[in-house]
Coordinates of all heavy atoms in Angstrom, one line a residue:
E1 N 0.8 -1.2 0.0 CA 0.0 0.0 0.0 C 0.9 1.3 0.0 O 0.4 2.3 -0.6 CB -0.9 0.0 1.2 CG -2.0 -1.0 1.1 CD -3.0 -0.9 2.3 OE1 -3.1 0.1 2.9 OE2 -3.7 -1.9 2.5
M2 N 2.0 1.2 0.6 CA 2.9 2.4 0.7 C 3.4 2.8 -0.7 O 3.3 4.0 -1.1 CB 4.1 2.1 1.6 CG 5.0 3.3 1.7 SD 4.3 4.8 2.3 CE 4.4 4.5 4.1
M3 N 3.8 1.8 -1.5 CA 4.3 2.1 -2.8 C 3.2 2.7 -3.7 O 3.4 3.6 -4.5 CB 5.0 0.9 -3.4 CG 5.6 1.2 -4.8 SD 7.1 2.2 -4.7 CE 8.3 1.0 -4.3
L4 N 2.0 2.1 -3.6 CA 0.8 2.6 -4.3 C 0.5 4.0 -4.0 O 0.3 4.9 -4.8 CB -0.4 1.7 -4.1 CG -1.7 2.1 -4.8 CD1 -1.5 2.1 -6.3 CD2 -2.8 1.1 -4.3
A5 N 0.5 4.3 -2.7 CA 0.3 5.7 -2.2 C 1.3 6.7 -2.7 O 1.0 7.8 -3.2 CB 0.1 5.8 -0.7
L6 N 2.6 6.3 -2.7 CA 3.7 7.1 -3.2 C 3.6 7.4 -4.7 O 3.8 8.5 -5.2 CB 5.0 6.5 -2.8 CG 5.4 6.5 -1.3 CD1 6.6 5.6 -1.1 CD2 5.6 7.9 -0.8
A7 N 3.2 6.3 -5.4 CA 3.1 6.4 -6.9 C 1.9 7.3 -7.2 O 2.0 8.1 -8.1 CB 2.9 5.0 -7.5
Q8 N 0.8 7.2 -6.5 CA -0.3 8.0 -6.8 C 0.0 9.5 -6.5 O -0.3 10.4 -7.3 CB -1.5 7.6 -6.0 CG -2.1 6.3 -6.4 CD -3.2 5.8 -5.5 OE1 -3.3 6.2 -4.3 NE2 -4.0 4.8 -5.9
A9 N 0.6 9.8 -5.4 CA 1.0 11.1 -5.1 C 2.0 11.7 -6.1 O 1.8 12.9 -6.5 CB 1.6 11.2 -3.7
A10 N 2.9 10.9 -6.6 CA 3.9 11.4 -7.6 C 3.2 11.7 -8.9 O 3.5 12.7 -9.5 CB 5.0 10.4 -7.8
L11 N 2.2 10.8 -9.3 CA 1.5 11.0 -10.5 C 0.7 12.3 -10.5 O 0.6 13.0 -11.4 CB 0.7 9.8 -10.8 CG 0.0 9.7 -12.2 CD1 1.0 10.0 -13.3 CD2 -0.6 8.3 -12.4
V12 N 0.0 12.5 -9.4 CA -0.8 13.7 -9.2 C 0.1 15.0 -9.3 O -0.3 16.0 -10.0 CB -1.6 13.7 -7.9 CG1 -2.3 15.1 -7.7 CG2 -2.7 12.6 -8.0
R13 N 1.2 15.0 -8.6 CA 2.2 16.1 -8.7 C 2.7 16.3 -10.1 O 2.8 17.4 -10.6 CB 3.3 15.9 -7.7 CG 2.9 16.2 -6.3 CD 4.1 16.2 -5.4 NE 5.0 15.1 -5.4 CZ 4.8 14.0 -4.7 NH1 3.8 13.8 -3.9 NH2 5.7 13.0 -4.8
Y14 N 2.9 15.2 -10.8 CA 3.4 15.3 -12.2 C 2.3 15.9 -13.1 O 2.6 16.8 -13.9 CB 3.8 13.9 -12.7 CG 4.2 14.0 -14.2 CD1 5.4 14.4 -14.6 CD2 3.3 13.6 -15.2 CE1 5.8 14.5 -15.9 CE2 3.6 13.6 -16.5 CZ 4.9 14.1 -16.9 OH 5.2 14.2 -18.2
L15 N 1.1 15.5 -12.9 CA 0.0 16.0 -13.7 C -0.2 17.5 -13.5 O -0.4 18.3 -14.4 CB -1.3 15.3 -13.5 CG -1.4 13.9 -14.0 CD1 -2.6 13.2 -13.5 CD2 -1.3 13.8 -15.5
G16 N 0.0 17.9 -12.2 CA -0.1 19.4 -11.9 C 1.0 20.1 -12.6 O 0.8 21.2 -13.1
A17 N 2.2 19.6 -12.6 CA 3.4 20.3 -13.3 C 3.2 20.4 -14.8 O 3.4 21.4 -15.3 CB 4.7 19.5 -12.9
V18 N 2.8 19.3 -15.4 CA 2.7 19.3 -16.9 C 1.5 20.2 -17.4 O 1.5 20.6 -18.5 CB 2.7 17.9 -17.5 CG1 3.9 17.2 -17.2 CG2 1.4 17.1 -17.2
H19 N 0.5 20.4 -16.5 CA -0.7 21.1 -16.9 C -0.6 22.6 -16.4 O -1.5 23.4 -16.7 CB -1.9 20.5 -16.4 CG -2.3 19.3 -17.2 ND1 -1.9 18.0 -16.8 CD2 -2.9 19.1 -18.4 CE1 -2.3 17.1 -17.7 NE2 -2.9 17.8 -18.7
E20 N 0.5 22.9 -15.7 CA 0.6 24.3 -15.2 C 0.6 25.3 -16.3 O 1.4 25.2 -17.3 CB 1.9 24.4 -14.4 CG 2.0 25.8 -13.7 CD 3.2 25.9 -12.8 OE1 3.9 24.8 -12.5 OE2 3.5 27.0 -12.4
G21 N -0.3 26.2 -16.2 CA -0.4 27.3 -17.2 C -1.2 26.9 -18.5 O -1.5 27.7 -19.3
R22 N -1.5 25.6 -18.6 CA -2.2 25.1 -19.8 C -3.6 24.8 -19.5 O -4.5 24.7 -20.4 CB -1.5 23.9 -20.4 CG -0.2 24.2 -21.0 CD 0.4 23.1 -21.8 NE 0.3 21.8 -21.1 CZ 0.4 20.7 -21.7 NH1 0.5 20.6 -23.0 NH2 0.3 19.6 -21.0
A23 N -3.9 24.4 -18.3 CA -5.3 24.0 -17.9 C -5.5 24.4 -16.4 O -4.5 24.6 -15.7 CB -5.4 22.5 -18.0
A24 N -6.7 24.6 -16.1 CA -7.1 24.9 -14.7 C -6.6 23.7 -13.8 O -6.8 22.6 -14.2 CB -8.6 25.1 -14.6
A25 N -6.1 24.1 -12.6 CA -5.7 23.0 -11.7 C -6.9 22.2 -11.3 O -8.0 22.7 -11.0 CB -5.1 23.7 -10.5
D26 N -6.8 20.9 -11.4 CA -7.9 20.0 -11.1 C -7.4 18.8 -10.3 O -7.5 17.7 -10.7 CB -8.5 19.6 -12.4 CG -9.9 19.0 -12.2 OD1 -10.4 18.8 -11.0 OD2 -10.6 18.7 -13.2
A27 N -6.8 19.1 -9.1 CA -6.1 18.1 -8.3 C -7.1 17.0 -7.9 O -6.7 15.8 -8.0 CB -5.5 18.7 -7.1
P28 N -8.4 17.2 -7.6 CA -9.2 16.1 -7.2 C -9.5 15.2 -8.4 O -9.5 13.9 -8.2 CB -10.5 16.8 -6.8 CG -10.1 18.2 -6.4 CD -9.0 18.5 -7.2
R29 N -9.6 15.7 -9.6 CA -9.8 14.9 -10.8 C -8.5 14.1 -11.1 O -8.6 12.9 -11.4 CB -10.2 15.7 -12.0 CG -10.3 14.9 -13.3 CD -10.8 15.7 -14.4 NE -10.9 15.0 -15.6 CZ -10.2 15.3 -16.7 NH1 -9.5 16.4 -16.8 NH2 -10.3 14.5 -17.8
W30 N -7.4 14.7 -11.0 CA -6.1 14.1 -11.2 C -5.9 13.0 -10.2 O -5.4 11.9 -10.6 CB -5.0 15.0 -11.2 CG -5.1 16.1 -12.3 CD1 -5.7 15.9 -13.6 CD2 -4.5 17.4 -12.4 NE1 -5.6 17.0 -14.3 CE2 -4.8 18.0 -13.6 CE3 -3.8 18.1 -11.4 CZ2 -4.5 19.3 -13.9 CZ3 -3.4 19.4 -11.8 CH2 -3.7 20.0 -13.0
A31 N -6.3 13.2 -9.0 CA -6.1 12.2 -7.9 C -7.0 10.9 -8.3 O -6.5 9.8 -8.1 CB -6.5 12.7 -6.6
A32 N -8.2 11.2 -8.7 CA -9.1 10.1 -9.1 C -8.5 9.3 -10.3 O -8.6 8.1 -10.3 CB -10.5 10.6 -9.4
L33 N -8.0 10.1 -11.3 CA -7.4 9.4 -12.5 C -6.2 8.6 -12.1 O -6.0 7.5 -12.6 CB -7.1 10.5 -13.5 CG -8.3 11.1 -14.2 CD1 -7.8 12.3 -15.0 CD2 -9.0 10.1 -15.1
A34 N -5.3 9.2 -11.2 CA -4.1 8.5 -10.8 C -4.5 7.2 -10.1 O -3.9 6.2 -10.3 CB -3.3 9.4 -9.9
E35 N -5.5 7.3 -9.2 CA -5.9 6.1 -8.5 C -6.4 5.0 -9.4 O -6.0 3.9 -9.3 CB -7.0 6.5 -7.5 CG -7.4 5.4 -6.6 CD -8.5 5.8 -5.5 OE1 -8.6 7.0 -5.3 OE2 -9.1 4.9 -5.0
A36 N -7.2 5.4 -10.4 CA -7.8 4.5 -11.3 C -6.7 3.9 -12.2 O -6.7 2.7 -12.5 CB -8.8 5.1 -12.2
A37 N -5.7 4.7 -12.6 CA -4.6 4.2 -13.5 C -3.7 3.3 -12.8 O -3.2 2.3 -13.4 CB -3.8 5.4 -14.0
L38 N -3.5 3.5 -11.5 CA -2.5 2.7 -10.8 C -3.2 1.5 -10.1 O -2.5 0.5 -9.7 CB -1.8 3.5 -9.7 CG -0.8 4.5 -10.4 CD1 -0.3 5.5 -9.4 CD2 0.4 3.7 -10.9
A39 N -4.5 1.5 -9.9 CA -5.2 0.4 -9.2 C -4.8 -1.0 -9.8 O -4.5 -1.9 -9.1 CB -6.7 0.6 -9.2
P40 N -4.8 -1.1 -11.2 CA -4.4 -2.5 -11.7 C -3.0 -2.8 -11.4 O -2.6 -4.0 -11.6 CB -4.6 -2.3 -13.2 CG -5.5 -1.1 -13.4 CD -5.2 -0.2 -12.2
Q41 N -2.2 -1.9 -11.0 CA -0.7 -2.1 -10.8 C -0.5 -2.3 -9.3 O 0.7 -2.4 -8.9 CB 0.1 -0.9 -11.3 CG -0.1 -0.6 -12.7 CD 0.2 -1.8 -13.7 OE1 1.1 -2.6 -13.4 NE2 -0.6 -1.9 -14.7
A42 N -1.5 -2.4 -8.5 CA -1.3 -2.4 -7.0 C -0.5 -3.6 -6.6 O 0.4 -3.5 -5.8 CB -2.7 -2.4 -6.3
A43 N -0.7 -4.8 -7.1 CA 0.0 -6.0 -6.7 C 1.5 -5.8 -7.2 O 2.4 -6.1 -6.4 CB -0.6 -7.2 -7.4
S44 N 1.7 -5.3 -8.4 CA 3.1 -5.1 -8.8 C 3.8 -4.1 -8.0 O 5.0 -4.3 -7.6 CB 3.1 -4.6 -10.3 OG 2.6 -5.6 -11.1
L45 N 3.1 -3.0 -7.6 CA 3.8 -2.0 -6.8 C 4.1 -2.6 -5.4 O 5.1 -2.3 -4.8 CB 2.9 -0.8 -6.7 CG 2.8 0.1 -7.9 CD1 1.6 1.0 -7.9 CD2 4.1 0.8 -8.2
G46 N 3.2 -3.4 -4.8 CA 3.5 -4.0 -3.6 C 4.7 -4.9 -3.6 O 5.5 -5.0 -2.7
E47 N 4.8 -5.7 -4.7 CA 6.0 -6.6 -4.9 C 7.2 -5.7 -5.0 O 8.3 -6.1 -4.5 CB 5.7 -7.4 -6.1 CG 4.7 -8.5 -6.0 CD 4.3 -9.1 -7.3 OE1 4.9 -8.9 -8.3 OE2 3.3 -9.9 -7.3
L48 N 7.2 -4.6 -5.7 CA 8.3 -3.8 -5.9 C 8.8 -3.2 -4.5 O 10.0 -3.0 -4.2 CB 8.1 -2.7 -6.9 CG 8.1 -3.1 -8.3 CD1 7.6 -1.9 -9.2 CD2 9.4 -3.6 -8.8
W49 N 7.8 -2.9 -3.7 CA 8.1 -2.3 -2.4 C 8.9 -3.4 -1.5 O 9.9 -3.1 -1.0 CB 6.8 -2.0 -1.6 CG 7.0 -1.5 -0.2 CD1 6.9 -2.2 0.9 CD2 7.4 -0.2 0.2 NE1 7.2 -1.4 2.0 CE2 7.5 -0.1 1.6 CE3 7.7 1.0 -0.5 CZ2 7.9 1.0 2.3 CZ3 8.1 2.1 0.2 CH2 8.2 2.1 1.6
V50 N 8.4 -4.6 -1.6 CA 9.0 -5.7 -0.8 C 10.4 -5.9 -1.4 O 11.4 -6.1 -0.7 CB 8.2 -7.0 -0.9 CG1 8.9 -8.2 -0.3 CG2 6.9 -6.8 -0.1
E51 N 10.5 -6.0 -2.7 CA 11.8 -6.2 -3.4 C 12.8 -5.1 -3.1 O 14.0 -5.4 -2.8 CB 11.6 -6.3 -4.9 CG 12.8 -6.6 -5.7 CD 12.6 -6.7 -7.2 OE1 11.4 -7.0 -7.6 OE2 13.5 -6.5 -7.9
A52 N 12.4 -3.9 -3.1 CA 13.3 -2.7 -2.8 C 13.7 -2.7 -1.3 O 14.9 -2.4 -1.1 CB 12.6 -1.4 -3.1
R53 N 12.8 -3.1 -0.5 CA 13.2 -3.2 1.0 C 14.2 -4.3 1.2 O 15.1 -4.2 2.0 CB 12.0 -3.3 1.8 CG 10.9 -2.3 1.7 CD 11.1 -1.1 2.6 NE 11.1 -1.6 4.0 CZ 11.4 -0.8 5.0 NH1 11.7 0.4 4.8 NH2 11.4 -1.3 6.2
A54 N 14.0 -5.4 0.5 CA 14.9 -6.6 0.7 C 16.3 -6.4 0.1 O 17.3 -6.9 0.6 CB 14.2 -7.8 0.2
N55 N 16.3 -5.7 -1.1 CA 17.5 -5.5 -1.8 C 17.6 -4.1 -2.4 O 17.3 -3.9 -3.6 CB 17.6 -6.6 -3.0 CG 18.9 -6.6 -3.7 OD1 19.8 -5.9 -3.4 ND2 18.9 -7.3 -4.8
P56 N 18.0 -3.1 -1.6 CA 18.0 -1.7 -2.0 C 18.8 -1.5 -3.3 O 18.6 -0.5 -4.0 CB 18.6 -1.0 -0.8 CG 18.4 -1.9 0.4 CD 18.4 -3.3 -0.2
D57 N 19.8 -2.3 -3.5 CA 20.7 -2.1 -4.7 C 20.2 -2.9 -5.9 O 20.9 -3.0 -6.9 CB 22.1 -2.4 -4.3 CG 22.7 -1.5 -3.3 OD1 22.3 -0.3 -3.3 OD2 23.4 -1.9 -2.4
G58 N 19.1 -3.6 -5.8 CA 18.6 -4.5 -6.8 C 17.9 -3.7 -7.9 O 17.9 -2.5 -8.0
P59 N 17.2 -4.5 -8.8 CA 16.5 -3.9 -9.9 C 15.2 -3.3 -9.7 O 14.5 -2.8 -10.7 CB 16.4 -5.1 -10.9 CG 16.2 -6.3 -9.9 CD 17.1 -5.9 -8.7
A60 N 14.7 -3.2 -8.5 CA 13.4 -2.6 -8.2 C 13.2 -1.2 -8.7 O 12.1 -0.9 -9.3 CB 13.1 -2.7 -6.7
E61 N 14.2 -0.4 -8.6 CA 14.1 1.0 -9.0 C 13.9 1.1 -10.6 O 13.0 1.8 -11.0 CB 15.4 1.8 -8.7 CG 15.3 3.3 -9.1 CD 16.5 4.0 -8.8 OE1 17.5 3.5 -8.1 OE2 16.6 5.2 -9.2
A62 N 14.6 0.3 -11.3 CA 14.4 0.3 -12.8 C 13.0 -0.2 -13.1 O 12.4 0.3 -14.1 CB 15.5 -0.5 -13.5
K63 N 12.6 -1.2 -12.4 CA 11.2 -1.8 -12.7 C 10.2 -0.7 -12.4 O 9.2 -0.6 -13.1 CB 11.0 -3.0 -11.9 CG 11.8 -4.2 -12.3 CD 11.6 -5.4 -11.4 CE 12.5 -6.5 -11.7 NZ 12.3 -7.7 -10.7
L64 N 10.4 0.0 -11.3 CA 9.4 1.0 -10.9 C 9.4 2.2 -11.9 O 8.3 2.6 -12.3 CB 9.7 1.6 -9.5 CG 8.8 2.7 -9.0 CD1 7.4 2.3 -8.9 CD2 9.4 3.2 -7.7
V65 N 10.5 2.6 -12.4 CA 10.6 3.6 -13.4 C 9.8 3.2 -14.6 O 9.0 4.0 -15.2 CB 12.1 4.0 -13.7 CG1 12.1 4.8 -15.0 CG2 12.7 4.7 -12.6
E66 N 10.0 2.0 -15.1 CA 9.3 1.5 -16.3 C 7.8 1.5 -16.1 O 7.1 1.9 -16.9 CB 9.9 0.1 -16.7 CG 9.3 -0.5 -18.0 CD 7.9 -1.1 -17.9 OE1 7.6 -1.7 -16.8 OE2 7.2 -0.9 -18.8
L67 N 7.4 1.0 -14.9 CA 6.0 0.9 -14.6 C 5.4 2.3 -14.6 O 4.3 2.5 -15.2 CB 5.8 0.2 -13.3 CG 4.3 -0.1 -12.9 CD1 4.2 -1.3 -12.0 CD2 3.7 1.1 -12.1
L68 N 6.0 3.2 -13.9 CA 5.5 4.6 -13.8 C 5.5 5.3 -15.2 O 4.5 6.0 -15.5 CB 6.2 5.4 -12.8 CG 6.0 5.0 -11.3 CD1 6.9 5.8 -10.4 CD2 4.6 5.1 -10.9
Q69 N 6.5 5.1 -16.0 CA 6.5 5.7 -17.3 C 5.3 5.2 -18.2 O 4.7 6.0 -18.8 CB 7.8 5.4 -18.0 CG 9.0 6.2 -17.5 CD 10.3 5.8 -18.2 OE1 10.5 4.7 -18.7 NE2 11.2 6.8 -18.2
R70 N 5.1 3.9 -18.1 CA 4.1 3.3 -18.9 C 2.7 3.8 -18.5 O 1.9 4.2 -19.3 CB 4.1 1.7 -18.8 CG 3.1 1.0 -19.6 CD 3.3 -0.5 -19.6 NE 4.0 -1.1 -18.4 CZ 3.4 -1.4 -17.3 NH1 2.1 -1.3 -17.2 NH2 4.0 -1.9 -16.3
V71 N 2.4 3.8 -17.2 CA 1.2 4.3 -16.6 C 1.0 5.8 -16.9 O -0.1 6.2 -17.3 CB 1.0 4.0 -15.1 CG1 -0.2 4.6 -14.5 CG2 1.0 2.5 -14.9
T72 N 2.0 6.5 -16.8 CA 1.9 8.0 -17.0 C 1.6 8.3 -18.5 O 0.7 9.1 -18.8 CB 3.2 8.7 -16.6 OG1 3.5 8.4 -15.2 CG2 3.2 10.2 -16.8
L73 N 2.3 7.6 -19.4 CA 2.0 7.8 -20.8 C 0.6 7.4 -21.2 O -0.1 8.1 -21.9 CB 3.0 7.1 -21.7 CG 4.4 7.6 -21.6 CD1 5.4 6.7 -22.4 CD2 4.5 9.1 -22.2
Q74 N 0.1 6.3 -20.6 CA -1.3 5.9 -20.8 C -2.3 7.0 -20.3 O -3.3 7.3 -21.0 CB -1.6 4.6 -20.2 CG -0.9 3.4 -20.8 CD -0.9 2.1 -20.0 OE1 -1.4 2.1 -18.9 NE2 -0.5 1.0 -20.6
L75 N -2.0 7.5 -19.1 CA -2.9 8.5 -18.5 C -2.8 9.8 -19.4 O -3.9 10.4 -19.6 CB -2.5 8.8 -17.1 CG -3.4 9.7 -16.3 CD1 -4.9 9.3 -16.4 CD2 -3.0 9.7 -14.9
L76 N -1.7 10.2 -19.8 CA -1.6 11.4 -20.6 C -2.3 11.2 -22.0 O -3.0 12.2 -22.4 CB -0.1 11.8 -20.9 CG 0.6 12.3 -19.7 CD1 2.1 12.5 -20.0 CD2 0.0 13.6 -19.2
D77 N -2.2 10.0 -22.5 CA -3.0 9.7 -23.8 C -4.5 9.8 -23.5 O -5.2 10.4 -24.3 CB -2.7 8.3 -24.3 CG -1.4 8.3 -25.0 OD1 -0.8 9.3 -25.3 OD2 -0.9 7.2 -25.3
Q78 N -4.9 9.4 -22.3 CA -6.3 9.4 -21.9 C -6.8 10.9 -21.8 O -7.9 11.3 -22.2 CB -6.5 8.7 -20.6 CG -7.9 8.7 -20.1 CD -8.1 8.0 -18.7 OE1 -7.2 7.2 -18.3 NE2 -9.1 8.3 -18.0
L79 N -5.9 11.7 -21.2 CA -6.3 13.1 -21.0 C -6.2 14.0 -22.2 O -7.0 14.8 -22.4 CB -5.4 13.7 -19.9 CG -5.6 13.3 -18.4 CD1 -4.5 13.7 -17.5 CD2 -6.9 13.8 -17.9
N80 N -5.1 13.7 -23.0 CA -4.8 14.6 -24.1 C -4.9 14.0 -25.5 O -4.7 14.7 -26.5 CB -3.4 15.2 -23.9 CG -3.2 15.8 -22.6 OD1 -4.0 16.5 -22.1 ND2 -2.0 15.5 -22.0
G81 N -5.2 12.8 -25.6 CA -5.2 12.1 -26.9 C -3.9 11.5 -27.1 O -2.9 11.9 -26.6
P82 N -3.8 10.5 -28.0 CA -2.5 9.8 -28.3 C -1.5 10.8 -28.8 O -1.8 11.7 -29.5 CB -2.9 8.8 -29.3 CG -4.3 8.6 -29.2 CD -4.9 9.9 -28.7
T83 N -0.2 10.6 -28.5 CA 0.8 11.5 -28.9 C 1.4 11.0 -30.3 O 1.3 9.9 -30.6 CB 2.0 11.5 -27.9 OG1 2.4 10.2 -27.6 CG2 1.6 12.3 -26.7

């Protein structure tokens, strides 16, 4: 749950940053979208949390980056249309 919460918070902050000056701030909507986008990844995020705690120098960071990039691009496509 911790990794899921951290990922959701990061995604909402990212959406705020990329939409600054281009759209009205809509943090509640972005929070709901981030929650929905990451919900299917909850098990994977939980596993990454355990993996990172057990082996801080292991591959968990790279796996997390890939997962967050994929989810973020999907969410941006949902919000703005495919790039």
